[in-house]
Amino acid sequence: MAKVKSKWICQECGYETAGYLGKCPECGSWGSLVEEVQYNEKMPNAAANEFVNTEKPELLKDIQIGEEVRVSTNISEFDRILGGGFVQGSLILLAGDPGIGKSTITLQTCGRLCDSGKKILYVSAEESASQLRLRAERLNINSDNLYIYPQTSMDNIKSQIEEIQPDFVIIDSIQAIYSNNVASSAGSVSQIRECTNILMHIAKSKNITTIVIGHVTKDGNIAGPKVLEHMVDTVIYFEGDKYKSYRMLRSMKNRFGNTSEVGIFEMCTDGLHEVTNPNELFLNERSRVAAPGSAIIVTNEGTRPLMVEIQALVGTTSYAAPRRVTNGVDLSRLHQILAVLEKRVGLNFSKQDVYVNVMGGIEVDEPSADLGIALAVATCARDVVVDPQTVIIGEIGLSGEIHPVNNIEKRLNEAAAAGFKKAIIPYANNVPKDFDKLLIIKVKRLVDAIVSCVSAN
Ligand code: TYD
Ligand code: MG
């Protein structure tokens, strides 16, 4: 009988302790420690030990640089965030809310990869083979190279990988897979860590590109541990509003490329379609009539500027403490902008509720959105409109000054291409003298930007 040992492991961050604690000392979550039993003979790192390491240390200058083989997904939005396709033998984590479309995008990618002659093993731990077949028919995927394997045991998966020798392995999802090396149930930190470890060794030793699908918890983390993010080469989030049709692939970590890129898709009845001109999509939602509290900003997501509408609503509060609610913008950013508007412009929000919403369900975390947010709030408070043909770009400092932003020319070109006529930009940003596609208004301070909007009314 194997000697059993138990540990309490935080399901949020992976912190381990010998006894129960109500609060995790590492990440501060309450009630997240779960007892996990482990056999002493085969500890969680058993996976690593199974692979005999024959490598020896080498001098840096002697190391040969192998050619990085990339496999295109034939979906340009996906290739863009990967940095030009999957790197062979890499381990990719695709994370997102349940129901957002992870299985759909993966199956569609499999279809394209099979068309270019790749052999794929799709491990479906959540759906039956016939469910997947139905979905594949809906997506019009019909391939001789795609193996569907409804399985949850890591040992069986490993032996099938050895038998089939695929170019790609898909694990849908990691939370449903278990390994016999660890006694705890599937989805626990130890299981996720162990199974990912095994997959990583298979990927690296056999040069098999592995895509691991993971669900995200309601507070936005990949269910189970953050440890998963450290183990893999690339972390891709699939996000979007479940109640709207478009979705965004965003790379959060990429050992082989840029991390600021986004790929945009639209969910249709026959699967996900690429959106090559996202500005049409986000601006389509904009009401044609100019309204107080609306401003268009130009964010720079990766290599592509995106035009997004910011809406604000300011009204007398009926609460003891006025409400500040944001959707798509960081709340502390709004607090800071309100503080600057109060101190440097003289507006007063102490008895006002302020709501800020980024249209289209997208997240804006770039500081260049500050000025747009401030103008949306200020114009709503003063009941004036920002000219709907104007885009607003600029970061706000605490003394009310407007800081320059990067890639200004690219942003302006994109705004001009989308039919805008005017741009309010930071004074310190240089624009070529012969740039005549837009009327440029340069502002040094927040108050100047507000004055130029008000005077235009
Ligand atoms: P799915 O890929 O199963 O999500 P996940 O794997 O992230 O849990 O996507 C499920 C949703 O997508 C479901 O609500 C139905 C919708 N859908 C479409 O709208 N069109 C389609 O062609 C497909 C396959 C799914
Ligand atoms: Mg799924």
Side-chain angles (χ1 to χ4, degrees):
M1 174 72 191
K3 197 175 160 204
V4 227
K5 197 179 157 193
S6 80
K7 274 185 188 172
W8 292 82
I9 301 183
C10 172
Q11 301 298 302
E12 297 292 334
C13 69
Y15 175 81
E16 293 181 9
T17 169
Y20 178 74
L21 297 172
K23 183 183 177 188
C24 172
E26 185 80 19
C27 66
S29 346
W30 286 91
S32 62
L33 274 86
V34 171
E35 187 176 22
E36 294 190 4
V37 182
Q38 286 159 350
Y39 293 100
N40 257 6
E41 285 172 1
K42 271 192 163 185
M43 292 301 282
N45 272 338
N49 301 334
E50 281 175 28
F51 299 87
V52 184
N53 197 347
T54 50
E55 301 267 315
K56 287 214 167 65
E58 261 184 280
L59 280 174
L60 179 66
K61 65 180 171 61
D62 296 339
I63 296 173
Q64 302 285 323
I65 303 173
E67 209 179 306
E68 197 180 82
V69 183
R70 291 224 181 229
V71 182
S72 167
T73 57
N74 294 323
I75 300 175
S76 60
E77 292 291 299
F78 207 159
D79 278 353
R80 179 214 301 278
I81 55 151
L82 289 167
F86 290 113
V87 171
Q88 215 169 332
S90 62
L91 186 63
I92 299 115
L93 171 67
L94 175 64
D97 289 331
I100 201 78
K102 300 179 296 299
S103 306
T104 308
I105 184 92
T106 314
L107 201 57
Q108 281 184 283
T109 311
C110 287
R112 300 286 181 98
L113 289 168
C114 287
D115 290 345
S116 59
K118 300 288 174 204
K119 201 197 280 184
I120 299 178
L121 177 64
Y122 191 116
V123 179
S124 176
E126 290 177 0
E127 289 172 273
S128 68
S130 55
Q131 273 175 310
L132 258 160
R133 172 82 201 264
L134 272 176
R135 187 195 293 255
E137 272 179 9
R138 187 170 169 184
L139 300 174
N140 219 353
I141 296 167
N142 196 1
S143 170
D144 296 338
N145 277 334
L146 182 57
Y147 293 83
I148 304 293
Y149 187 36
Q151 183 57 260
T152 51
S153 155
M154 194 62 230
D155 297 331
N156 293 347
I157 295 169
K158 213 165 99 184
S159 56
Q160 284 306 317
I161 294 176
E162 258 145 43
E163 199 177 315
I164 296 178
Q165 303 269 343
D167 300 300
F168 281 80
V169 171
I170 316 290
I171 305 291
D172 186 3
S173 70
I174 190 72
Q175 275 104 0
I177 306 277
Y178 72 92
S179 158
N180 285 335
N181 295 348
V182 180
S184 52
S185 56
S188 65
V189 171
S190 314
Q191 280 292 3
I192 291 179
R193 199 185 316 189
E194 173 70 1
C195 293
T196 312
N197 222 343
I198 297 176
L199 289 166
M200 185 171 68
H201 279 95
I202 298 175
K204 302 292 169 199
S205 60
K206 298 190 185 305
N207 211 17
I208 297 173
T209 313
T210 308
I211 304 172
V212 172
I213 295 177
H215 296 297
V216 164
T217 56
K218 55 182 181 311
D219 49 359
N221 290 324
I222 297 168
K226 274 267 174 203
V227 274
L228 201 56
E229 292 191 32
H230 298 295
M231 293 165 79
V232 300
D233 296 311
T234 305
V235 179
I236 296 170
Y237 273 88
F238 201 33
E239 49 191 37
D241 195 333
K242 228 193 292 180
Y243 305 102
K244 296 210 175 117
S245 60
Y246 38 85
R247 309 271 185 270
M248 271 198 238
L249 271 181
R250 189 189 291 272
S251 108
M252 305 301 276
K253 163 183 171 181
N254 194 351
R255 289 193 179 138
F256 312 105
N258 200 330
T259 52
S260 51
E261 293 286 354
V262 289
I264 300 170
F265 295 86
E266 192 173 2
M267 181 67 99
C268 304
T269 47
D270 58 346
L272 289 148
H273 290 248
E274 294 178 67
V275 175
T276 39
N277 190 355
N279 285 323
E280 272 174 17
L281 192 81
F282 294 124
L283 292 176
N284 263 350
E285 295 207 352
R286 182 163 59 120
S287 52
R288 304 238 165 239
V289 196
S294 155
I296 311 291
I297 57 158
V298 190
T299 72
N300 200 30
E301 294 282 357
T303 52
R304 176 169 55 183
L306 270 186
M307 256 150 289
V308 198
E309 181 184 0
I310 307 268
Q311 287 191 346
L313 182 65
V314 180
T316 310
T317 187
S318 45
Y319 301 96
R323 304 205 68 189
R324 311 281 183 245
V325 181
T326 59
N327 199 349
V329 188
D330 187 22
L331 183 60
S332 57
R333 200 84 205 167
L334 174 65
H335 281 140
Q336 191 174 314
I337 292 169
L338 292 181
V340 177
L341 279 170
E342 290 197 327
K343 181 80 182 168
R344 309 292 172 199
V345 183
L347 295 174
N348 186 350
F349 298 102
S350 60
K351 302 229 164 13
Q352 308 275 305
D353 290 331
V354 180
Y355 301 86
V356 171
N357 189 18
V358 181
M359 297 308 287
I362 70 166
E363 295 274 331
V364 175
D365 52 8
E366 235 207 334
S368 76
D370 286 358
L371 190 54
I373 299 170
L375 287 186
V377 172
T379 55
C380 187
R382 285 282 166 266
D383 217 15
V384 290
V385 293
V386 181
D387 170 24
Q389 302 292 336
T390 306
V391 289
I392 315 237
I393 305 165
E395 179 181 351
I396 300 174
L398 290 183
S399 30
E401 79 283 13
I402 308 295
H403 288 277
V405 302
N406 61 4
N407 295 322
I408 189 77
E409 231 184 300
K410 206 152 85 184
R411 295 179 203 243
L412 294 176
N413 279 326
E414 191 72 26
F420 286 86
K421 303 276 180 278
K422 225 160 62 173
I424 297 182
I425 67 164
Y427 190 83
N429 265 122
N430 286 326
V431 179
K433 280 207 174 59
D434 53 356
F435 186 89
D436 57 359
K437 295 184 202 160
L438 293 171
L439 173 66
I440 305 283
I441 301 167
K442 288 189 164 188
V443 287
K444 274 188 186 158
R445 293 173 307 151
L446 175 54
V447 68
D448 303 336
I450 295 176
V451 168
S452 69
C453 280
V454 174
S455 59
N457 275 265

